[in-house]
Tab-separated table of all heavy atoms in Angstrom:
chain	number	residue	atom	x	y	z
A	174	ASP	N	178.014	109.653	130.630
A	174	ASP	CA	177.181	108.988	131.645
A	174	ASP	C	178.018	107.847	132.276
A	174	ASP	O	178.034	107.647	133.543
A	174	ASP	CB	175.839	108.475	131.135
A	174	ASP	CG	174.941	109.577	130.785
A	174	ASP	OD1	175.135	110.717	131.214
A	174	ASP	OD2	173.946	109.316	130.062
A	177	LEU	N	180.883	109.194	134.577
A	177	LEU	CA	180.373	109.670	135.849
A	177	LEU	C	179.958	108.491	136.741
A	177	LEU	O	180.339	108.405	137.935
A	177	LEU	CB	179.191	110.534	135.680
A	177	LEU	CG	178.460	111.047	136.917
A	177	LEU	CD1	179.433	111.906	137.829
A	177	LEU	CD2	177.211	111.829	136.598
A	198	HIS	N	194.388	101.017	132.167
A	198	HIS	CA	195.552	100.749	131.294
A	198	HIS	C	196.223	101.976	130.712
A	198	HIS	O	197.407	102.081	130.679
A	198	HIS	CB	195.101	99.784	130.117
A	198	HIS	CG	196.178	99.463	129.189
A	198	HIS	ND1	197.234	98.537	129.402
A	198	HIS	CD2	196.486	99.989	127.888
A	198	HIS	CE1	198.009	98.452	128.401
A	198	HIS	NE2	197.605	99.370	127.465
A	220	PRO	N	181.094	87.956	132.215
A	220	PRO	CA	179.824	88.115	132.982
A	220	PRO	C	179.038	89.382	132.559
A	220	PRO	O	177.821	89.366	132.497
A	220	PRO	CB	180.314	88.266	134.483
A	220	PRO	CG	181.610	87.560	134.476
A	220	PRO	CD	182.208	87.794	133.149
A	258	ASP	N	203.669	99.191	120.982
A	258	ASP	CA	203.622	98.653	122.298
A	258	ASP	C	203.250	97.133	122.094
A	258	ASP	O	202.676	96.753	121.113
A	258	ASP	CB	202.528	99.324	123.145
A	258	ASP	CG	202.707	99.146	124.615
A	258	ASP	OD1	203.554	98.312	125.048
A	258	ASP	OD2	202.002	99.766	125.408
A	264	ILE	N	193.376	84.786	125.878
A	264	ILE	CA	192.051	84.161	125.760
A	264	ILE	C	192.107	82.653	125.981
A	264	ILE	O	193.156	82.047	125.848
A	264	ILE	CB	191.412	84.517	124.463
A	264	ILE	CG1	192.205	83.953	123.248
A	264	ILE	CG2	191.122	85.978	124.259
A	264	ILE	CD1	191.558	84.031	121.913
A	281	LEU	N	185.048	86.760	119.694
A	281	LEU	CA	184.882	88.140	119.349
A	281	LEU	C	186.198	88.865	119.527
A	281	LEU	O	186.483	89.759	118.690
A	281	LEU	CB	183.817	88.756	120.190
A	281	LEU	CG	182.394	88.267	120.053
A	281	LEU	CD1	181.455	89.010	120.962
A	281	LEU	CD2	181.968	88.508	118.559
A	353	GLY	N	204.278	90.795	128.041
A	353	GLY	CA	205.212	90.946	126.951
A	353	GLY	C	204.985	90.061	125.783
A	353	GLY	O	203.881	90.072	125.264
A	354	CYS	N	205.915	89.241	125.447
A	354	CYS	CA	205.777	88.433	124.325
A	354	CYS	C	205.174	87.014	124.645
A	354	CYS	O	204.041	86.728	124.205
A	354	CYS	CB	207.194	88.150	123.685
A	354	CYS	SG	207.960	89.646	123.098
A	363	GLN	N	202.196	88.915	141.517
A	363	GLN	CA	203.586	88.969	141.690
A	363	GLN	C	204.142	90.298	141.112
A	363	GLN	O	203.417	90.947	140.354
A	363	GLN	CB	204.279	87.809	140.882
A	363	GLN	CG	204.142	87.821	139.403
A	363	GLN	CD	204.743	86.665	138.637
A	363	GLN	OE1	204.096	85.655	138.401
A	363	GLN	NE2	206.006	86.845	138.330
A	374	PRO	N	225.701	79.912	122.848
A	374	PRO	CA	226.798	79.561	121.974
A	374	PRO	C	228.113	80.145	122.324
A	374	PRO	O	229.181	79.587	121.904
A	374	PRO	CB	226.282	80.082	120.549
A	374	PRO	CG	224.805	80.014	120.694
A	374	PRO	CD	224.528	80.408	122.095
A	463	ALA	N	203.168	91.844	147.291
A	463	ALA	CA	202.620	90.842	146.407
A	463	ALA	C	202.515	89.464	147.052
A	463	ALA	O	203.271	89.155	147.914
A	463	ALA	CB	203.440	90.725	145.118
A	479	VAL	N	223.666	75.440	119.059
A	479	VAL	CA	224.472	74.597	120.001
A	479	VAL	C	224.226	73.108	119.632
A	479	VAL	O	225.221	72.348	119.558
A	479	VAL	CB	223.977	74.853	121.435
A	479	VAL	CG1	224.557	73.808	122.375
A	479	VAL	CG2	224.365	76.287	121.832
A	487	GLU	N	230.652	65.709	117.300
A	487	GLU	CA	230.592	64.275	117.492
A	487	GLU	C	230.921	63.482	116.180
A	487	GLU	O	231.739	62.591	116.116
A	487	GLU	CB	229.294	63.807	118.032
A	487	GLU	CG	229.250	62.320	118.255
A	487	GLU	CD	227.889	61.845	118.811
A	487	GLU	OE1	226.877	62.551	118.651
A	487	GLU	OE2	227.868	60.771	119.450
A	492	THR	N	233.625	60.602	115.635
A	492	THR	CA	233.160	59.398	114.974
A	492	THR	C	233.951	59.162	113.701
A	492	THR	O	234.568	58.102	113.534
A	492	THR	CB	231.703	59.468	114.680
A	492	THR	OG1	230.929	59.621	115.938
A	492	THR	CG2	231.141	58.178	114.049
A	509	PHE	N	237.032	79.832	108.980
A	509	PHE	CA	237.027	78.816	107.960
A	509	PHE	C	237.801	79.126	106.728
A	509	PHE	O	237.812	78.422	105.668
A	509	PHE	CB	235.616	78.424	107.527
A	509	PHE	CG	234.735	77.794	108.612
A	509	PHE	CD1	233.641	78.442	109.167
A	509	PHE	CD2	235.083	76.570	109.177
A	509	PHE	CE1	232.899	77.929	110.124
A	509	PHE	CE2	234.324	76.048	110.157
A	509	PHE	CZ	233.250	76.672	110.678
A	517	ARG	N	232.524	72.405	105.096
A	517	ARG	CA	231.549	71.584	104.330
A	517	ARG	C	231.215	70.301	105.168
A	517	ARG	O	230.033	69.929	105.179
A	517	ARG	CB	232.186	71.124	102.975
A	517	ARG	CG	232.166	72.226	101.960
A	517	ARG	CD	232.431	71.733	100.579
A	517	ARG	NE	233.757	71.099	100.452
A	517	ARG	CZ	234.899	71.789	100.175
A	517	ARG	NH1	234.849	73.104	99.903
A	517	ARG	NH2	236.026	71.151	100.074
A	615	TYR	N	209.889	70.425	127.850
A	615	TYR	CA	209.635	71.910	128.066
A	615	TYR	C	208.747	72.102	129.301
A	615	TYR	O	208.477	73.315	129.600
A	615	TYR	CB	208.986	72.466	126.832
A	615	TYR	CG	210.017	72.809	125.760
A	615	TYR	CD1	210.393	71.898	124.800
A	615	TYR	CD2	210.725	73.997	125.836
A	615	TYR	CE1	211.363	72.152	123.891
A	615	TYR	CE2	211.642	74.335	124.942
A	615	TYR	CZ	212.064	73.396	123.965
A	615	TYR	OH	213.064	73.692	123.054
A	644	ALA	N	195.578	69.692	113.073
A	644	ALA	CA	195.900	68.439	113.595
A	644	ALA	C	197.399	68.398	113.936
A	644	ALA	O	197.785	67.809	115.012
A	644	ALA	CB	195.611	67.350	112.526
Side-chain angles (χ1 to χ4, degrees):
D174 290 346
L177 177 60
H198 176 79
D258 201 351
I264 58 170
L281 292 181
C354 298
Q363 65 181 93
V479 172
E487 180 179 24
T492 300
F509 296 115
R517 286 194 296 272
Y615 278 92

